[in-house]
Amino acid sequence: MMDPYALGCIICSVLSLVALYNLVFVRKKYPASSAAATPSTENITTAAGECRSFNRHGDVDIIIVGAGVAGSALAHTLGKDGRRVLVIERDLNEPDRIVGELLQPGGYLKLIELGLEDCVEKIDAQQVVGYALFKDGKHTRLSYPLEKFHSDIAGRSFHNGRFIQRMREKASSLPNVRLEQGTVTSLLEEKGTIKGVQYKTKDAQELSAYGPLTIVCDGCFSNLRRSLCNPKVDIPSCFVGLVLENCELPCANHGHVILGDPSPVLFYPISSTEIRCLVDVPGQKVPSISNGEMAKYLKTVVAPQVPPELYDAFIAAVDKGNIRTMPNRSMPAAPYPTPGALLMGDAFNMRHPLTGGGMTVALSDIVVLRNLLRPLRDLNDAPSLCKYLESFYTLRKPVASTINTLAGALYKVFCASPDPARKEMRQACFDYLSLGGQFSEGPVSLLSGLNPRPLSLVLHFFAVAIYGVGRLLLPFPSPKRLWIGVRLITSASGIILPIIKAEGVRQMFFPATVPAYYRTPPAA
């Protein structure tokens, strides 16, 4: 009978030879980078309690292009649901932008729904509870209708870069989400289906990444959107950004809108010691910063219209010279349903940033998409998935179209005009909101994303116009005032109806009549 010790030695030797064979020959034949490799995996428990495996060698379910607000939030949301996510971002350093700094209460509620509310913590974010509207030395305070919510529910304002970095950290903390720095140069297409992306790493390597679904979130300067939509980008104005220090807002914890000439000026806190000022300059060209024209414009045209409490800090900020500009883009959502790909965020849909609704729309879109994708275990049937996800474009409409339409309409109403009818509309809007009660609560609930009802928006908009006509005709109408009243109604129609047409009348007001509204998940 063989000695047990000798038998053990023989068994160990055989096992070692088998392991050596696998290491040398099998790995040589099927290297780790090939699709045939046997990848190392780890089990991921999803939010729904399912257990899925994540391929450490790079297999992904979803590729996300861009790690801004939309991309980072989406990566965390899908990763939490067990998807294997690769995020490719051009620059993973903290962004420094002058927009994307105000999150409306409706957006904060979506942030909570996505489990990302802690991303506004530890960045010196400030609560915002309403707006203060200034015109010709008068002002009115408009509070968000937050009575039925928890005391923590409010808007939030902050440094955009700090917020994005917090969301990137949160996304990359999930084991099945990988953030990689690189510039996506093109989408990889095969027979009309997007199979992945080609990108260049920070050390100039040209690489390709493949996945059944690619979501493009590369922002307002997207170089990929032309492949996936019909972009009709309008640039009605530019923002000139300053940071005011060592001053207090006239109404604490409020966004401030000054109905200036030629267009609005915004103030809101972005930290406990800083106030952001955004001066809207109509058109696509702004005075030159380098030759001093911008400083002169700000001091001579804008400064006299600034509230007295902010005047000295405004002049000091201009003298300090850290003046930045940003084109304000507007683009209705006009996607080409494309198998294997989807557009989101500012790459997909933009509106004038006057109302600070962009992040609210993006986060709401993510909630819609998450709910659509949750029942699907397999994303590889690109044509069926594409047909199913057409419902996304309809389901997002209540929130998106309300905020988009309001932003475009308010900007046009708030801009100064030599037209007597437009002047009356602007004054009527200020006076209507100053009435308080439902006259201010209704529009502010639309603005804040708490009441995403397009019909309510249209009713309030035309109520402002009718209120303006009433002011003209009382106490005694005259032919001139009657004519201005008629032109006021036609002017109001000319402002809002083209925006509604661009948004899609049927999807906006009658979504249940759109066939895509009833799409069911593809069979597993």
Side-chain angles (χ1 to χ4, degrees):
M1 187 174 178
M2 185 178 290
D3 180 80
Y5 176 77
L7 180 62
C9 289
I10 292 170
I11 292 171
C12 287
S13 299
V14 171
L15 291 174
S16 298
L17 287 171
V18 171
L20 183 62
Y21 174 82
N22 282 331
L23 182 65
V24 174
F25 294 101
V26 176
R27 287 290 177 90
K28 185 176 181 180
K29 186 176 181 181
Y30 303 114
S33 61
S34 83
T38 304
S40 61
T41 61
E42 85 177 61
N43 289 331
I44 305 298
T45 302
T46 73
E50 300 177 34
C51 195
R52 296 178 181 171
S53 61
F54 176 57
N55 186 335
R56 282 297 189 183
H57 290 299
D59 261 0
V60 296
D61 297 315
I62 295 172
I63 299 168
I64 297 175
V65 182
V69 172
S72 301
L74 183 63
H76 176 267
T77 299
L78 298 180
K80 197 168 63 169
D81 278 358
R83 305 292 182 185
R84 300 164 297 180
V85 181
L86 169 64
V87 186
I88 304 171
E89 163 59 36
R90 183 182 59 82
D91 186 357
L92 287 172
N93 293 313
E94 183 175 307
D96 184 14
R97 303 181 65 203
I98 64 171
V99 292
E101 298 172 317
L102 177 62
L103 181 65
Q104 297 287 1
Y108 183 65
L109 287 172
K110 296 298 179 183
L111 206 66
I112 293 172
E113 193 172 346
L114 295 171
L116 290 165
E117 66 273 19
D118 57 344
C119 292
V120 297
E121 297 173 2
K122 300 178 181 177
I123 60 171
D124 200 15
Q126 303 298 298
Q127 280 204 0
V128 178
V129 297
Y131 278 87
L133 199 60
F134 290 73
K135 185 179 186 298
D136 300 331
K138 298 179 181 179
H139 79 275
T140 185
R141 191 179 302 203
L142 312 171
S143 298
Y144 294 135
L146 301 172
E147 297 79 11
K148 64 180 181 180
F149 296 102
H150 186 272
S151 60
D152 186 54
I153 303 301
R156 293 291 191 282
S157 53
F158 38 67
H159 281 271
N160 172 268
R162 296 176 187 174
F163 180 54
I164 287 176
Q165 288 301 88
R166 287 280 287 153
M167 289 206 292
R168 287 175 179 174
E169 291 166 9
K170 185 105 174 180
S172 59
S173 69
L174 297 174
N176 49 328
V177 175
R178 188 170 85 250
L179 267 68
E180 187 170 335
Q181 185 163 306
T183 301
V184 174
T185 54
S186 63
L187 300 172
L188 297 175
E189 184 180 338
E190 183 181 311
K191 296 179 180 178
T193 297
I194 303 301
K195 296 292 186 179
V197 299
Q198 187 166 357
Y199 66 103
K200 187 179 289 187
T201 65
K202 59 181 178 181
D203 53 2
Q205 278 186 289
E206 289 277 359
L207 298 177
S208 298
Y210 296 88
L213 181 59
T214 298
I215 303 177
V216 176
C217 306
D218 57 345
C220 62
F221 299 104
S222 174
N223 63 341
L224 301 176
R225 66 160 67 99
R226 288 191 176 277
S227 304
L228 303 173
C229 78
N230 178 25
K232 296 179 181 177
V233 181
D234 180 34
I235 304 178
S237 66
C238 297
F239 267 157
V240 178
L242 302 164
V243 174
L244 278 58
E245 299 173 322
N246 304 316
C247 63
E248 298 289 336
L249 287 166
C251 301
N253 300 108
H254 284 66
H256 291 57
V257 182
I258 287 80
L259 301 187
D261 187 356
S263 53
V265 181
L266 309 180
F267 294 93
Y268 52 87
I270 54 173
S271 75
S272 54
T273 59
E274 298 164 299
I275 293 169
R276 167 66 72 196
C277 170
L278 293 174
V279 178
D280 185 85
V281 179
Q284 299 183 23
K285 293 185 69 175
V286 297
S288 171
I289 296 175
S290 58
N291 66 10
E293 286 182 5
M294 178 64 78
K296 181 181 178 182
Y297 175 83
L298 294 173
K299 286 183 176 180
T300 59
V301 176
V302 180
Q305 304 179 72
V306 168
E309 299 94 328
L310 301 173
Y311 181 85
D312 290 341
F314 181 84
I315 296 296
V318 175
D319 289 338
K320 190 174 181 180
N322 187 19
I323 303 171
R324 300 173 59 194
T325 63
M326 174 79 179
N328 293 325
R329 290 171 167 80
S330 177
M331 185 183 77
Y336 303 137
T338 305
L342 197 69
L343 272 170
M344 291 196 74
D346 282 350
F348 170 52
N349 184 204
M350 294 179 282
R351 76 292 308 150
H352 195 285
L354 171 70
T355 58
M359 290 188 290
T360 299
V361 172
L363 294 170
S364 175
D365 283 354
I366 291 169
V367 171
V368 172
L369 183 62
R370 177 201 64 182
N371 294 341
L372 286 171
L373 291 178
R374 266 186 172 170
L376 307 181
R377 295 188 59 86
D378 184 6
L379 304 178
N380 285 290
D381 186 350
S384 296
L385 179 63
C386 178
K387 190 174 181 64
Y388 169 61
L389 288 181
E390 285 182 20
S391 60
F392 166 76
Y393 304 119
T394 301
L395 295 172
R396 69 181 292 272
K397 275 294 176 180
V399 173
S401 62
T402 300
I403 292 174
N404 293 346
T405 305
L406 183 62
L410 270 187
Y411 177 69
K412 291 183 178 180
V413 170
F414 281 178
C415 284
S417 172
D419 182 350
R422 292 286 294 274
K423 281 184 179 180
E424 286 295 334
M425 184 71 179
R426 192 186 197 211
Q427 186 64 50
C429 187
F430 180 85
D431 292 344
Y432 182 89
L433 293 171
S434 300
L435 293 173
Q438 184 56 38
F439 301 104
S440 64
E441 184 177 307
V444 172
S445 65
L446 292 163
L447 175 71
S448 62
L450 296 171
N451 177 27
R453 295 177 183 172
L455 184 59
S456 179
L457 164 61
V458 173
L459 292 175
H460 275 289
F461 187 81
F462 280 105
V464 170
I466 293 168
Y467 175 78
V469 172
R471 291 173 65 256
L472 283 167
L473 300 184
L474 295 176
F476 302 107
S478 67
K480 181 182 178 181
R481 285 174 168 264
L482 185 61
W483 173 240
I484 293 175
V486 171
R487 292 192 59 247
L488 193 157
I489 294 293
T490 57
S491 175
S493 301
I495 288 172
I496 198 168
L497 294 182
I499 303 173
I500 291 173
K501 182 181 177 182
E503 288 293 318
V505 175
R506 188 178 176 191
Q507 285 187 317
M508 192 169 170
F509 296 103
F510 312 104
T513 69
V514 180
Y517 187 83
Y518 301 100
R519 293 277 155 81
T520 56

